[in-house]
């Protein structure tokens, strides 16, 4: 018995030391690259206290549209632990948009992939094991001229749920639910609203307080050209609880509101981010909804002399605060930005801190596409894209502490900046009726290889 407790004590001490080493490890900004052009779209923190990134790899030969999906497991120091590329035969159109670790400790990747020449891309999801090997691949049956795609996948206790769009000329929101191993398609629906707009879902989340899904889409009016935010609340079986559209006002007529990410908040409500041209240029918006879809506030951030776009967001501090990442275009300079916000009254900006970075113009472009909070350590990680003087896309991997800092008191690491804030009236709100059409899927076998990946460190 004594030896048993000694062994347990040794294991706990070892785990504690590992945790301290991980916690206090130097934060840095790195790029990961192969012989192709790679763009990181999604990042997660794994149960092994490492990171994983998924995205799209663009071939260098001039073969038209030649893309692969890629998956990378990454150590905290930025080194690649494992790499997988996936494609169909001669690679045609393919984009990997989202990544999640399932409750079975496998990895689910979602996006779109064409099955060959003349075939439109179809909403596709794949399962990889911990070694990065393919377990299963499924796509929504769409047929000719029926383009479909997924933009996000999330994990639930007994499966995964994906959201995106179905259709080319008049796309509608697509949501599908699978078992963890993809052997069972539990349900898949195209959601047809009562208005003739083009609707693409870019994000979904699970709200644990009432066990529902929140889905956010961009709804475009093909006549006026205006874009609205659309929010669907779904039950676990995919049936509709409610659906609303939100039209921004107080600035230009028929503004564009491009929704990009939705997260579940601590009070049962939701937060949505994206970008809008409501005022001069494109700026970041933060739309806060109550659990019934009623608007709590709309905030717009940015300077009229710049373009700012938010691409992703995560909750932090027990789902009470928000961290947003994206892009700032300031004259000819293209910056990655990330900022932390407090969920406050609509008359205050709620900014806790904000940072931007572009390595003194080398790389010449840096953009943040996704952000995650490490569960066991006080840090955040961001992925996206870097483009240097060679004009080759590289995967961005940035780790910062909870104050947004990578390395203090240096000239090349993220700095504070003036984000700007616009007081905005609440959007006008319209309830929509929705009809569901059931969809089917099919299995296929993509090609797989494991490329060599190199790492450069810019800020450490």
């Amino acid at each position: 018995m004594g030896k048993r407790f000694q062994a347990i004590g040794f294991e706990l001490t070892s785990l504690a030391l590992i945790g301290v080493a991980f916690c206090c490890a130097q934060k840095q900004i790195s790029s990961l690259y192969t012989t192709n052009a790679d763009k990181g779209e999604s990042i997660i923190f794994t149960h092994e206290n490492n990171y994983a990134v998924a995205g799209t790899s663009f071939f260098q030969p001039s073969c038209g549209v030649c893309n692969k999906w890629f998956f990378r497991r990454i150590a905290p120091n930025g080194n690649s632990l494992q790499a997988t590329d996936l494609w169909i035969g001669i690679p045609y159109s393919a984009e990997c948009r989202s990544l999640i670790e399932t409750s079975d400790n496998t990895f689910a990747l979602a996006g779109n992939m064409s099955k060959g020449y003349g075939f439109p891309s179809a909403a596709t999801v794949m399962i990889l094991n911990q070694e990065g090997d393919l377990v299963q691949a499924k796509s929504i049956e769409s047929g000719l001229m029926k383009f479909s795609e997924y933009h996000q996948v999330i994990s639930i206790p007994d499966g995964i749920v994906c959201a995106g769009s179905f259709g080319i000329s008049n796309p509608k929101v697509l949501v599908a639910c699978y078992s963890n191993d993809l052997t069972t398609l539990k349900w898949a629906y195209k959601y047809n609203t009562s208005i003739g707009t083009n609707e693409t879902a870019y994000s979904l989340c699970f709200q644990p307080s009432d066990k529902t899904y929140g889905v956010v889409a961009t709804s475009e009016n093909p006549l006026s050209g205006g874009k609205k935010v659309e929010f669907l609340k779904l039950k676990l079986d995919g049936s509709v609880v409610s659906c609303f559209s939100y039209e921004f006002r107080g600035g230009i007529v028929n503004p564009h509101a491009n929704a990009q990410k939705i997260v579940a908040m601590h009070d049962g409500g939701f937060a949505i981010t994206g970008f809008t041209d409501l005022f001069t240029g494109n700026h970041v918006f933060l739309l806060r909804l109550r659990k019934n879809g009623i608007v709590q506030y709309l905030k717009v951030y940015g300077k009229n002399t710049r373009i700012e776009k938010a691409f992703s967001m995560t909750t932090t501090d027990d789902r009470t605060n928000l961290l947003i990442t994206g892009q700032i275009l300031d004259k000819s300079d293209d910056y990655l930005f990330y900022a932390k916000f407090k969920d406050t009254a609509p008359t205050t900006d709620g900014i806790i801190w904000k940072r931007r970075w572009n390595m003194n113009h080398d790389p010449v472009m840096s953009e943040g596409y996704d952000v995650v909070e490490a569960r066991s350590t006080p840090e955040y990680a961001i992925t996206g894209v870097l483009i240097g003087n060679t004009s080759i896309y590289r995967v961005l991997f940035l780790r910062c502490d909870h104050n947004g800092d990578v390395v203090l008191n240096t000239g090349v690491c993220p700095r504070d900046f003036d984000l700007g804030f616009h007081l905005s009236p609440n959007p006008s709100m319209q309830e929509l009726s929705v009809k569901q059409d059931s969809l089917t899927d099919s299995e296929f076998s993509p090609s797989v290889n494991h490329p060599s990946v190199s790492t450069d460190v810019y800020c450490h």
Side-chain angles (χ1 to χ4, degrees), residues 188-222:
Y189 296 112
K190 179 178 71 168
Y191 294 87
N192 297 293
T193 59
S194 55
I195 53 179
T197 54
N198 302 327
E199 296 148 15
T200 297
Y202 287 94
S203 181
L204 81 159
C205 65
F206 176 70
Q207 176 52 268
S209 67
D210 59 2
K211 294 182 172 56
T212 59
Y213 300 116
V215 182
V216 68
T218 295
S219 173
E220 180 179 10
N221 187 319

Side-chain angles (χ1 to χ4, degrees), residues 116-423:
Y117 181 76
F119 287 85
S121 293
T124 301
V125 59
M126 301 187 197
I127 298 295
L128 307 184
N129 61 23
Q130 282 290 317
E131 288 70 44
D133 296 320
L134 179 68
V135 176
Q136 181 71 277
K138 293 282 188 73
S139 63
I140 289 295
E141 286 290 347
S142 53
L144 295 178
M145 303 306 294
K146 294 291 185 181
F147 175 88
S148 61
E149 62 181 337
Y150 292 132
H151 280 274
Q152 191 178 359
V153 57
I154 64 171
S155 177
I156 57 176
D158 60 346
I160 60 172
V161 185
C162 308
S165 67
F166 185 96
I168 295 180
S169 59
N170 186 216
K172 295 296 180 182
V173 169
L174 161 65
V175 184
C177 180
Y178 282 94
S179 60
N180 274 331
D181 58 5
L182 295 188
T183 57
T184 303
L185 175 61
K186 299 181 180 181
W187 50 264
Y189 296 112
K190 179 178 71 168
Y191 294 87
N192 297 293
T193 59
S194 55
I195 53 179
T197 54
N198 302 327
E199 296 148 15
T200 297
Y202 287 94
S203 181
L204 81 159
C205 65
F206 176 70
Q207 176 52 268
S209 67
D210 59 2
K211 294 182 172 56
T212 59
Y213 300 116
V215 182
V216 68
T218 295
S219 173
E220 180 179 10
N221 187 319
L223 298 179
S224 69
K227 293 182 179 180
K228 302 178 183 179
V229 174
E230 187 174 301
F231 168 72
L232 290 89
K233 191 169 186 177
L234 305 178
K235 296 180 181 179
L236 296 182
D237 62 1
S239 59
V240 178
V241 177
S242 59
C243 181
F244 299 99
S245 69
Y246 307 89
E247 183 176 12
F248 291 4
R249 54 187 179 175
I252 67 170
V253 178
N254 294 321
H256 287 185
N258 299 277
Q260 297 291 301
K261 190 68 181 284
I262 185 170
V263 294
M265 298 299 288
H266 64 97
D267 59 357
F270 301 88
I272 299 167
T273 195
F275 50 95
T276 178
D277 63 355
L278 180 63
F279 305 106
T280 302
N282 271 304
H283 301 310
V284 173
F285 75 78
L286 179 58
L287 177 63
R288 185 69 158 87
L289 304 180
R290 303 186 190 279
K291 63 190 303 181
N292 59 1
I294 301 299
V295 176
Q296 189 169 333
Y297 61 73
L298 170 66
K299 298 182 181 183
V300 178
Y301 300 90
K303 292 284 190 177
N304 288 346
T305 56
R306 299 188 310 233
I307 292 175
E308 299 95 352
K309 294 182 179 181
F311 295 124
S312 189
M313 172 172 63
T314 189
T315 55
T316 182
D317 307 323
D318 295 323
R319 292 191 294 145
T320 58
N321 294 324
L322 298 160
L323 189 76
I324 295 176
T325 189
Q327 168 201 23
I328 291 178
L329 186 60
D330 190 353
K331 298 177 182 177
S332 61
D333 297 328
D334 199 341
Y335 293 88
L336 153 79
F337 92 89
Y338 54 102
K340 190 173 182 179
F341 300 86
K342 185 174 292 185
D343 188 23
T344 59
T347 54
T348 60
D349 61 32
I351 299 172
I352 299 174
W353 50 254
K354 64 270 188 223
R355 302 285 186 270
R356 75 176 188 178
W357 177 80
N358 78 342
M359 187 60 180
N360 292 345
H361 316 297
D362 182 17
V364 296
M365 186 188 95
S366 53
E367 298 176 1
Y369 292 152
D370 197 20
V371 59
V372 68
E373 182 179 31
R375 292 186 298 271
S376 60
T377 61
E379 72 175 39
Y380 305 110
I382 294 170
T383 195
V385 64
L386 303 177
I387 299 180
N389 291 330
T390 59
S391 298
I392 300 298
Y393 282 31
R394 293 182 171 194
V395 175
L396 166 75
F397 178 62
L398 180 152
R399 290 171 54 228
C400 68
D401 63 25
H402 265 213
N403 295 315
D405 295 318
V406 176
V407 178
L408 299 176
N409 302 319
T410 69
V412 297
C413 290
R415 293 293 190 91
D416 189 20
F417 70 102
D418 185 6
L419 180 56
F421 176 61
H422 299 264
L423 287 172

